[in-house]
Amino acid sequence: LTWAVSFGNAILSYQMASATPTLIREMITPAAFPKAASAGLLIVFVIYVGVGACGYYGYGRSLIEVPIMNSIAPPGQPLDVWGYIAVIAMLLLAFPHFLVILMPIAASLEYAFNIDVDSTAKRDLIKRIIARTFLVGIALVIAIVVPSVDKLINLMGVFTMIAMAGVLPALFYTRIRVFNEGSLKAIWKASRLEMSLLGALTLLCLLIMGAGGYQSIVDF
């Protein structure tokens, strides 16, 4: 069942649904988002393929048993120059990714507590700082308490990212069409092939979530 876990991690690598509304809101030209997203995903794909190819060329199939970071920076052993370079590079890469994930969550928290995000008043600024510091604190506690970050990522990838990238968009799309066209029956009559494909993909995602979730819990 490890293939289901790997699928969740792959979805996690390309998933941007949680950050999309925030990105569109902050864009000067929101209508350009499809082109920007396509270009960004293409760049990410090229980088991932390049890094993956280099990792496979350098370490071969041994990475299946030992993650690449453990090969470069073995746990419990002092780091050499390349180990420090790898760790620093990972931190630099993870920081903007952390911000991209944090911002939508922070926006939701501020909305829940009626914090005016557009206000320049000192009081609202302090509220935003407190809210975001609270979220960073939660992330810090998780990082300290959880014994294995990669296993936590497996759980997140399977249970949250597949749902956000595969299940929820299909449900939202169907719901919007129901609003516009009146009923699910009308949608089915108008787009049987599309809805059949959408239903099959959603069911596949749910099955992968079940299989991958079971394996992730067992491995945790």
Side-chain angles (χ1 to χ4, degrees):
L1 299 177
T2 55
W3 62 271
V5 179
S6 299
F7 181 80
N9 289 337
I11 292 294
L12 174 62
S13 301
Y14 292 95
Q15 195 281 134
M16 60 179 186
S18 59
T20 298
T22 303
L23 295 175
I24 294 176
R25 185 184 66 181
E26 298 296 332
M27 290 181 68
I28 297 176
T29 310
F33 177 77
K35 292 182 179 179
S38 299
L41 288 173
L42 178 61
I43 293 172
V44 170
F45 176 77
V46 171
I47 293 174
Y48 282 176
V49 170
V51 172
C54 291
Y56 185 78
Y57 177 79
Y59 296 93
R61 296 184 62 83
S62 62
L63 291 179
I64 296 177
E65 300 297 333
V66 181
I68 188 169
M69 283 304 299
N70 289 348
S71 299
I72 298 174
Q77 298 183 22
L79 297 177
D80 57 11
V81 175
W82 290 108
Y84 277 109
I85 292 175
V87 171
I88 293 173
M90 288 293 294
L91 291 175
L92 292 176
L93 288 173
F95 182 70
H97 186 67
F98 174 74
L99 291 180
V100 169
I101 295 177
L102 178 68
M103 289 302 103
I105 301 174
S108 299
L109 181 64
E110 291 162 358
Y111 176 80
F113 285 91
N114 297 319
I115 300 175
D116 188 357
V117 296
D118 297 321
S119 173
T120 57
K122 185 176 181 180
R123 182 176 181 179
D124 291 323
L125 177 61
I126 293 175
K127 288 181 179 179
R128 291 200 297 272
I129 292 175
I130 293 174
R132 299 186 182 198
T133 302
F134 173 73
L135 291 176
V136 173
I138 292 177
L140 180 61
V141 170
I142 293 174
I144 295 174
V145 173
V146 175
S148 179
V149 176
D150 59 330
K151 293 179 180 179
L152 178 62
I153 291 176
N154 289 341
L155 284 171
M156 289 177 56
V158 169
F159 283 113
T160 62
M161 296 307 161
I162 294 179
M164 293 174 65
V167 178
L168 293 180
L171 295 179
F172 292 158
Y173 171 74
T174 303
R175 184 60 175 166
I176 291 172
R177 289 198 60 179
V178 168
F179 282 138
N180 293 332
E181 301 179 32
S183 67
L184 188 60
K185 185 177 181 180
I187 299 173
W188 173 253
K189 289 183 178 180
S191 309
R192 291 187 179 183
L193 179 60
E194 179 185 9
M195 297 308 296
S196 297
L197 180 60
L198 200 62
L201 291 175
T202 302
L203 179 60
L204 177 62
C205 287
L206 293 175
L207 291 175
I208 293 176
M209 286 176 63
Y214 171 79
Q215 186 65 43
S216 297
I217 293 173
V218 170
D219 293 339
F220 193 76

